[in-house]
Amino acid sequence: MAVRRQFLGVTGTGTGVGKTVLSALLVRRCVRLGLSVRAFKPLCSGGRGDALALEAALGGSLALDTINPWHFDAPLSPSLAARLERRKVTLGQVVDHLRRYSVAGDLTLVEGAGGLLSPLTADGDNRDLIVRLGALPLIVASNRLGVIHDVRAVLGNLPPRLRDRAPVVLMAPAQADESTAHNARSLGEFLEPDHIVELPRVPEEVRAGAARPSLSLTRSLDRILDLIGPMPS
Ligand SMILES: Nc1ncnc2c1ncn2[C@@H]1O[C@H](COP(=O)(O)OP(=O)(O)OP(=O)(O)O)[C@@H](O)[C@H]1O
Ligand SMILES: [Mg+2]
């Protein structure tokens, strides 16, 4: 039986919620466990920092221009930033690139831009890319007041077959609020509680791979990998 490409669509409730932080941590964990992993940020706008973080996490196994073939100067959605440079990227081009540079059997993380419904290419948004790839969505959200609505809105906008398996990761905010300690339990009333994982604040040295993750962080990352499903070693 042919081994399918396993795409993970790292998306979430918006911009700046921790998609890159989580992606880099998951990649580093896979590398440490000896699992085959690839990661892409196909479209960057306003700097290539996300792609550089993934390149570092991958430890040089993938070239920057392969991780991120399209980048635009303006700190706007990639679709608008591309238009301002009179350039055009289509979903088809992105899907072709990801299929070409991913390997059957490997886990392939694909970080979108912004939230699920943010525009991505000239002809589609992050949801369209996830659907075209048949990717498992990984929903990242900041664990603060309002997150119940935001996560439910994202899940409600996914096709049921993708929604039902999607892990939801609540990232600890810089400043916890009164809801932070309760949100995972409250969300568990609306979706499979086992699909919800909380991630603590992660020090810069750990994110950069200069220090080892704590045991509790490692456990959380392994739970997310379990939810993603089996991978070849
Ligand atoms: N768990 C965490 N521990 C420490 N810092 C975090 C954590 N989650 C998010 N951050 C901080 O929030 C900032 C934004 O996170 P990140 O860049 O991962 O967001 P993003 O969702 O990838 O944003 P974008 O939409 O721009 O791609 C990071 O620079 C980091 O400082
Ligand atoms: Mg990012």
Side-chain angles (χ1 to χ4, degrees):
M1 195 177 75
V3 183
R4 285 194 56 219
R5 282 175 176 74
Q6 192 173 10
F7 287 109
L8 187 67
V10 183
T11 185
T13 54
T15 189
V17 293
K19 298 184 298 293
T20 304
V21 167
L22 176 62
S23 298
L25 289 168
L26 283 174
V27 167
R28 288 186 193 283
R29 183 65 185 148
C30 286
V31 169
R32 179 144 191 97
L33 290 170
L35 301 170
S36 306
V37 63
R38 294 188 171 213
F40 298 87
K41 170 91 182 184
L43 295 105
C44 281
S45 42
R48 298 177 93 187
D50 288 8
L52 288 164
L54 297 179
E55 182 190 31
L58 286 163
S61 64
L62 218 50
L64 181 64
D65 286 342
T66 304
I67 296 168
N68 169 234
W70 296 282
H71 49 99
F72 310 102
D73 290 337
L76 297 164
S77 74
S79 66
L80 182 53
R83 212 182 310 153
L84 293 178
E85 295 181 22
R86 298 183 191 286
R87 293 165 63 195
K88 184 178 175 185
V89 183
T90 64
L91 268 185
Q93 287 174 285
V94 176
V95 169
D96 285 350
H97 178 84
L98 294 170
R99 289 201 193 286
R100 179 166 175 203
Y101 288 100
S102 58
V103 176
D106 283 11
L107 175 65
T108 301
L109 280 82
V110 180
E111 183 186 340
L116 181 73
L117 300 182
S118 304
L120 185 66
T121 60
D123 58 349
D125 58 27
N126 292 277
R127 174 176 60 184
D128 296 322
L129 179 62
I130 286 171
V131 170
R132 283 277 291 271
L133 290 171
L136 175 67
L138 176 63
I139 314 296
V140 186
S142 182
N143 192 354
R144 59 187 174 214
L145 193 62
V147 73
I148 312 276
H149 164 273
D150 294 348
V151 169
R152 293 184 71 204
V154 166
L155 291 170
N157 275 291
L158 282 167
R161 74 193 150 79
L162 297 180
R163 171 174 66 214
D164 294 347
R165 285 188 50 220
V168 172
V169 182
L170 301 182
M171 304 290 279
Q175 205 81 51
D177 63 33
E178 299 237 351
S179 76
T180 302
H182 304 283
N183 286 327
R185 185 182 289 259
S186 303
L187 250 188
E189 293 170 19
F190 298 99
L191 55 130
E192 181 56 61
D194 287 350
H195 289 190
I196 304 166
V197 180
E198 289 184 79
L199 224 75
R201 273 322 260 185
V202 181
E204 170 60 32
E205 318 83 80
V206 174
R207 285 188 267 145
R212 295 275 287 274
S214 66
L215 194 58
S216 74
L217 174 59
T218 302
R219 283 209 187 104
S220 297
L221 295 172
D222 288 350
R223 266 201 64 209
I224 297 168
L225 291 176
D226 280 346
L227 290 170
I228 293 167
M231 277 174 291
S233 50

